[in-house]
Amino acid sequence: MPKALDGQIVMEKTPRYFVTVDTPARVHAMSQDVKLIVVVRDPVTRAISDYTQIISKTPDIPSFESLAFKNRTTGQIDSLWSPLWIGLYAQHMERWLAWFPRSQIHLVNGERLISDPAGELGKVQDFLGLQRIVTDKHFYFNKTKGFPCLKKPEGSSKPHCLGKTKGRTHVTIDPEVIQKLRDFYKPHNQRFYQLAGQNFGWH
């Protein structure tokens, strides 16, 4: 990490740290006092979103339904398929909690980050010990994308919205498959709520 002056905070973001097996130990070796922020969302929606992203780059891959199961007839889920494995938040969280206390990990509610970005970022600012500078006035909702956009400071360029790869219409998935995935994730979600000390209300 780059050096910082007093009063500065150095941040890095990546989609892979939370789920990569050897990362908690490596981060701990770098700094035992680091503050960790993880954005989580309904694992079923997350998996479909992940697949939507994959298929945009690799259009000829098999259907979500066929990849989600080891055996569609018996209903056995392929929990090692990356879009599904990433959503097993409890097992990833347990790995981090072996190295860091819960007080150093802040969980951002991905659904609320969209519906109430200022509220969720307010909690992030509190967690980092920062003054609540980012508020409702910094956001507006982009109906086309279905996401909030960040307003730029007065007199500068146009607002900043998430890029073209965000806010895509998800592929349509067989409702029966979605229900099987919800049943599959239920015990994992319950375990995650216990570890997190908060209920995200994913059904």
Side-chain angles (χ1 to χ4, degrees), residues 106 108-109 112-126 132-140 148-150:
H106 179 73
V108 175
N109 183 319
R112 280 210 209 113
L113 188 59
I114 294 168
S115 63
D116 178 22
E120 281 302 303
L121 286 177
K123 293 175 197 169
V124 168
Q125 290 169 98
D126 294 346
R132 283 200 178 199
I133 292 172
V134 180
T135 62
D136 278 329
K137 69 180 183 183
H138 294 97
F139 295 95
Y140 77 94
C149 295
L150 194 61

Side-chain angles (χ1 to χ4, degrees), residues 136-168:
D136 278 329
K137 69 180 183 183
H138 294 97
F139 295 95
Y140 77 94
F141 193 76
N142 181 319
K143 287 178 184 167
T144 310
K145 289 192 80 65
F147 280 104
C149 295
L150 194 61
K151 292 178 182 172
K152 292 277 187 161
E154 285 177 37
S156 87
S157 58
K158 59 186 180 181
H160 178 72
C161 292
L162 292 169
K164 289 177 184 174
T165 63
K166 302 295 181 184
R168 283 198 189 97

Side-chain angles (χ1 to χ4, degrees), residues 40-48 87 89 109-111 182 185 189 200-203:
V40 290
R41 67 189 292 200
D42 179 330
V44 176
T45 314
R46 203 217 67 80
I48 296 167
Y89 301 137
N109 183 319
E111 284 81 21
R182 295 217 174 282
Y185 277 118
N189 290 343
F200 289 87
W202 301 318
H203 305 297

Side-chain angles (χ1 to χ4, degrees), residues 17 20-31 99-100:
Y17 281 179
T20 304
V21 174
D22 58 353
T23 304
R26 292 175 66 189
V27 172
H28 188 268
M30 181 201 70
S31 168
W99 290 94
F100 294 95

Side-chain angles (χ1 to χ4, degrees), residues 41-48 50 64 68 77-92 177-193 202-203:
R41 67 189 292 200
D42 179 330
V44 176
T45 314
R46 203 217 67 80
I48 296 167
D50 197 343
F64 179 95
I77 302 286
D78 185 358
S79 61
L80 294 179
W81 181 43
S82 180
L84 300 184
W85 176 76
I86 291 171
L88 297 171
Y89 301 137
Q91 73 180 47
H92 308 312
V177 170
I178 290 175
Q179 189 54 53
K180 280 198 165 75
L181 287 175
R182 295 217 174 282
D183 295 341
F184 165 75
Y185 277 118
K186 193 171 184 179
H188 298 282
N189 290 343
Q190 292 302 326
R191 174 72 183 134
F192 179 61
Y193 299 162
W202 301 318
H203 305 297

Side-chain angles (χ1 to χ4, degrees), residues 53-119:
Q53 176 93 333
I54 293 165
I55 204 168
S56 72
K57 296 172 182 170
T58 324
D60 55 347
I61 64 163
S63 71
F64 179 95
E65 290 86 345
S66 64
L67 292 169
F69 292 95
K70 280 185 180 171
N71 187 322
R72 181 87 187 262
T73 313
T74 62
Q76 188 185 5
I77 302 286
D78 185 358
S79 61
L80 294 179
W81 181 43
S82 180
L84 300 184
W85 176 76
I86 291 171
L88 297 171
Y89 301 137
Q91 73 180 47
H92 308 312
M93 188 74 170
E94 280 173 337
R95 237 184 351 259
W96 283 92
L97 290 173
W99 290 94
F100 294 95
R102 174 68 185 88
S103 58
Q104 277 174 240
I105 304 172
H106 179 73
L107 297 168
V108 175
N109 183 319
E111 284 81 21
R112 280 210 209 113
L113 188 59
I114 294 168
S115 63
D116 178 22

